[in-house]
């Protein structure tokens, strides 16, 4: 990739890593499902404005309403809800590490469940290492060496599985401009989360959170969702899906750094060890490093 693509990739990794920090701060004062609605509705408003400025609003046709709802459910409503629920009791860094298992689940769904892709040797090895890394991380809580609740960690893994299902479903939007597809799914997830937020916001009012919390909500919707989508789509168009997927390796690293620097979060030795194994699995799953290190053809 040219240098500017690396810059975009690093910026995107920092933004999505920061999303876990924004969420950790905001979910302390805002109910998780309400926070999800704020995130998707703010991002939807920004992207609708972007489409209007680019003359792309006509792409939001009524015939796509059901696919947009399904995509909004799988790629926004369910994973955001599970991540925010988990982050009520676990740190931003740990949540981001568990969410980094998305490529592992994507391979399993695409290759084993729906059989859209061939299961190559490096992918099998990457999945095995990824599962082993998760097992090591969960073992620290199961054995009492860490106090992070297992249910919260399983929520984050459930979010990764939902993202994997969304990646498989998203193939039907290939002919659609990605900005339109993103806006459509945010419209769908906003419609889904509005009644859920209203039903779960009893006893809570918009005057309860502090200014700092509202600034984190605004950053979550505008920067970590709307702007991040636009950067990601530019990378997809210019650098390709394979290069854009490298952001998966950067997000947990940036979330860990921000969590340590700003919130003072720390991981147990088992959790760090599990992260190292998972990271190795993602590198093997990607396959390019193995190709560079392997024997060159004659």
């Amino acid at each position: 990739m040219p240098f500017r693509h690396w810059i975009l990739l690093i910026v995107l990794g920092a933004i999505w890593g920061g999303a876990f920090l924004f969420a950790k701060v905001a979910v302390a004062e805002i109910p998780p499902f309400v926070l999800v609605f704020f995130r998707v509705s703010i991002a939807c408003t920004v992207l609708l404005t972007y489409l209007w400025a680019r003359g792309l609003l006509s792409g939001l046709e009524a015939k796509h309403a059901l696919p947009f709802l399904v995509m909004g459910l799988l790629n926004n409503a369910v994973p955001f809800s599970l991540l925010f629920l988990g982050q009520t009791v676990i740190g931003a860094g740990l949540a981001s590490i568990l969410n980094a298992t998305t490529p592992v689940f994507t391979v399993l769904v695409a290759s084993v469940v729906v059989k859209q892709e061939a299961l190559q040797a490096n992918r099998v090895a990457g999945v095995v290492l990824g599962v082993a890394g998760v097992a090591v991380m969960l073992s620290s809580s199961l054995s009492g060496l860490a106090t992070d609740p297992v249910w919260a960690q399983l929520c984050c893994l459930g979010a990764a599985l939902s993202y994997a299902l969304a990646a498989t479903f998203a193939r039907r939007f290939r002919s659609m401009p990605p900005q339109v597809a993103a806006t459509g799914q945010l419209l769908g997830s906003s419609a889904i989360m509005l009644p859920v937020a209203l039903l779960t916001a009893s006893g809570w009012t918009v005057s309860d959170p502090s200014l700092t919390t509202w600034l984190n909500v605004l950053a979550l919707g505008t920067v970590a969702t709307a702007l991040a989508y636009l950067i990601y789509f530019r990378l997809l168009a210019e650098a390709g899906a394979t290069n854009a997927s490298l952001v998966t390796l950067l997000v947990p690293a940036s979330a860990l750094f921000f969590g340590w620097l700003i919130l003072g979060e720390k991981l147990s030795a088992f959790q760090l060890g599990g992260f190292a194994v998972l990271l190795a699995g993602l590198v093997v799953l990607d396959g390019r490093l193995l190709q560079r290190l392997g024997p060159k053809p004659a």
Side-chain angles (χ1 to χ4, degrees), residues 35 46 56 63 73 77 80 82 98 109 111 121 127 196 221 251 265:
L35 181 59
V46 173
L56 296 172
K63 65 180 181 180
L73 179 72
F80 290 172
L82 289 173
L98 294 167
V109 171
S111 301
V127 168
V196 178
V251 171
E265 295 181 352

Side-chain angles (χ1 to χ4, degrees), residues 108-180:
L108 289 173
V109 171
S111 301
V112 179
V113 180
V114 299
K115 302 187 184 303
Q116 288 181 343
E117 299 178 4
L119 194 59
Q120 301 168 346
N122 70 292
R123 292 186 173 184
V124 174
V127 168
V128 171
L129 284 171
V131 172
V134 171
V136 171
M137 283 186 283
L138 291 180
S139 68
S140 63
S141 295
L142 291 170
S143 63
L145 295 175
T147 58
D148 303 289
V150 174
W151 70 263
Q153 297 177 66
L154 292 177
C155 280
C156 296
L157 293 174
L161 175 58
S162 188
Y163 281 134
L165 293 171
T168 304
F169 185 80
R171 293 173 182 270
R172 67 186 59 210
F173 296 107
R174 282 177 173 175
S175 60
M176 184 181 295
Q179 298 91 335
V180 175

Side-chain angles (χ1 to χ4, degrees), residues 56-129:
L56 296 172
L57 277 176
S58 59
L60 296 172
E61 300 177 71
K63 65 180 181 180
H64 299 305
L66 182 58
F68 283 154
L69 281 170
V70 174
M71 193 63 183
L73 179 72
L74 294 176
N75 205 44
N76 297 144
V78 170
F80 290 172
S81 297
L82 289 173
L83 284 171
F84 293 169
L85 279 172
Q87 283 194 261
T88 59
V89 291
I90 66 174
L94 180 57
S96 70
I97 292 173
L98 294 167
N99 190 60
T101 57
T102 297
V104 175
F105 284 112
T106 302
V107 168
L108 289 173
V109 171
S111 301
V112 179
V113 180
V114 299
K115 302 187 184 303
Q116 288 181 343
E117 299 178 4
L119 194 59
Q120 301 168 346
N122 70 292
R123 292 186 173 184
V124 174
V127 168
V128 171
L129 284 171

